């Protein structure tokens, strides 16, 4: 089969994060589908190829994202089945908080087509750099905010907690572009079981354009109710407690160490 699919990441900041191989795939494709949230970024991609088709057209308020994602997948796969070299160019990393790239590659492979993913710099990568966080220092747990609300999860307050898409927290319809303060209060009440209301959290938004400023806003958990949010706002909750040593395990390890050195 001659058709193939490559989903590439173009990074977060316009022009600054794209890697050479991702750019090469875009330039050499027969058709490029762009999954970006900024019109200027889309225009930049169009400078690299004369047939760039926006996937943003499938989004609309109130329309379930499950339908939107299926339409995106269908659009890309129809060109692959037609024997074309297809590229899906997605902002950030194409495998992070992105259903359509994963599903498209899965289906393309199942149908016998060559398909793969090229990583990109994600919002997570920018977050660690901008906030000066080393996830290996205290540990780090990450959840989509609604997922944390919908399921019973255990929060480790000795580690960083990163909640993505807090601006649509609690949306069960998968069709909203934002949720109200009432939904936000439910998230606050959930977090208040593990964190004091005065605990400082960070609202973060990576810069998409070079002229934009990165959003790093420190507020209390209580102030989150009235904070200004977008679909791209991330909440970062620093550790609230110190890590406690596991003395029983440390003792066993010390005994092993002494045995080895004897």
């Amino acid at each position: 089969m001659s058709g193939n699919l490559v989903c590439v990441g173009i990074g977060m900041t316009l022009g600054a994060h794209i890697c050479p191989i991702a750019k090469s795939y875009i330039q050499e494709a027969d058709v490029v589908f762009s999954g970006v949230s900024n019109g200027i970024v889309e225009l930049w991609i169009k400078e690299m190829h004369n047939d760039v088709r926006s996937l943003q057209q499938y989004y609309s308020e109130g329309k379930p994202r499950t339908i939107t994602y299926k339409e995106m997948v269908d659009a890309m796969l129809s060109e692959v089945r037609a024997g074309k070299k297809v590229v899906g160019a997605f902002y950030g990393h194409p495998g992070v908080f992105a259903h359509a790239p994963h599903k498209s590659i899965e289906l393309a492979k199942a149908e016998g087509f060559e398909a793969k993913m090229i990583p990109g710099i994600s919002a997570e990568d920018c977050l660690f750099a901008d906030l000066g966080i080393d996830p290996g220092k205290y540990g780090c747990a990450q959840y989509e905010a609604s997922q944390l609300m919908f399921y019973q999860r255990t929060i480790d307050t000795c580690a960083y907690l990163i909640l993505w898409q807090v601006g649509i927290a609690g949306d069960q319809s998968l069709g909203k572009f934002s949720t109200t303060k009432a939904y936000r209060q439910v998230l606050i009440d959930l977090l208040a079981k593990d964190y004091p209301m005065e605990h400082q959290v960070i609202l973060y938004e990576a810069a998409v354009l070079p002229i934009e400023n990165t959003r790093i806003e420190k507020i209390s958990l209580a102030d989150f109710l009235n904070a200004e949010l977008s679909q791209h706002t991330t909440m970062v909750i620093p550790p609230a407690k110190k890590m406690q040593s596991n003395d029983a395990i440390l003792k066993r390890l010390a005994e092993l160490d002494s045995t080895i050195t004897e």
Side-chain angles (χ1 to χ4, degrees), residues 85-149:
K85 294 188 295 183
V86 179
V87 166
F90 296 86
Y91 74 94
H93 189 304
V96 178
F97 285 89
H99 174 82
H102 281 294
K103 193 63 179 180
S104 299
I105 291 173
E106 176 190 334
L107 291 178
K109 287 183 175 179
E111 295 180 19
F113 296 102
E114 182 181 345
K116 62 182 177 181
M117 181 179 289
I118 303 298
I121 294 176
S122 68
E124 177 198 49
D125 299 313
C126 295
L127 183 152
F128 289 146
D130 292 332
L131 301 186
I133 293 175
D134 179 355
K137 186 174 183 180
Y138 301 115
C140 178
Q142 304 186 46
Y143 302 98
E144 197 274 334
S146 292
Q147 186 190 85
L148 182 71
M149 298 167 73

